[in-house]
Amino acid sequence: MSETNQPSTELQSLDRLVGRWAVTGGAEGTVRYEWMPGRFFLLQHIELTQFGQPVTGLEVIGNLRPFGEPTGADVVSRFYGSGGDTLDYVYELTGDTLTIWGGAKGSPAYYQGRFSADDTTVTGEWVYPGGGGYPSTMTRI
């Protein structure tokens, strides 16, 4: 492992998420983002209620770097839920627009939201194939 290795610019751009957020819309509760030491992984702590069910877990967000391979280009994540779910996502922040794809980049299941000018809200919606998405707003607390 090289000491000159640095977190990707794409991952570093997600620094805007660091902090605690109140979530409203189709899921309600709080999420908290923090950097793991080294800043190669952003951790999201999730405590939500969605469709009347608790959703509690940890999401680890970063670039893949499998043993002996170069760092992957996409910022990917895996959510580990208290109910046993493991869900994969791909993150992309372009300007003020945050896109989170469920599964692979370009998936028909995705979230797209926009940061406010002062970075205190992210307003958008989850889109699911065949409908069933929902609006979601995060407000910094």
Side-chain angles (χ1 to χ4, degrees):
M1 188 182 318
S2 169
E3 290 187 26
T4 60
N5 197 26
Q6 296 293 317
S8 72
T9 301
E10 294 79 12
L11 178 61
Q12 290 178 52
S13 73
L14 297 180
D15 192 58
R16 294 168 80 177
L17 290 169
V18 170
R20 193 162 181 255
W21 300 83
V23 177
T24 57
E28 306 273 333
T30 60
V31 296
R32 180 174 51 90
Y33 291 88
E34 66 179 340
W35 288 109
M36 192 170 146
R39 295 176 64 99
F40 284 95
F41 297 98
L42 185 63
L43 306 177
Q44 181 185 192
H45 303 269
I46 297 112
E47 294 182 21
L48 301 171
T49 299
Q50 183 180 32
F51 308 121
Q53 299 297 313
V55 179
T56 304
L58 174 68
E59 184 177 13
V60 179
I61 306 163
N63 296 90
L64 294 179
R65 190 169 68 199
F67 184 73
E69 295 182 29
T71 301
D74 290 336
V75 175
V76 299
S77 75
R78 175 160 284 174
F79 167 79
Y80 299 91
S82 60
D85 292 326
T86 56
L87 306 173
D88 295 329
Y89 298 93
V90 176
Y91 279 67
E92 183 176 77
L93 181 60
T94 305
D96 290 331
T97 302
L98 175 65
T99 304
I100 306 169
W101 287 279
K105 188 173 184 174
S107 164
Y110 64 92
Y111 169 82
Q112 191 162 70
R114 190 163 184 81
F115 279 89
S116 62
D118 62 1
D119 281 355
T120 60
T121 61
V122 182
T123 305
E125 71 177 294
W126 282 97
V127 175
Y128 297 141
Y134 59 87
S136 182
T137 299
M138 295 194 317
T139 305
R140 194 178 294 279
I141 50 178

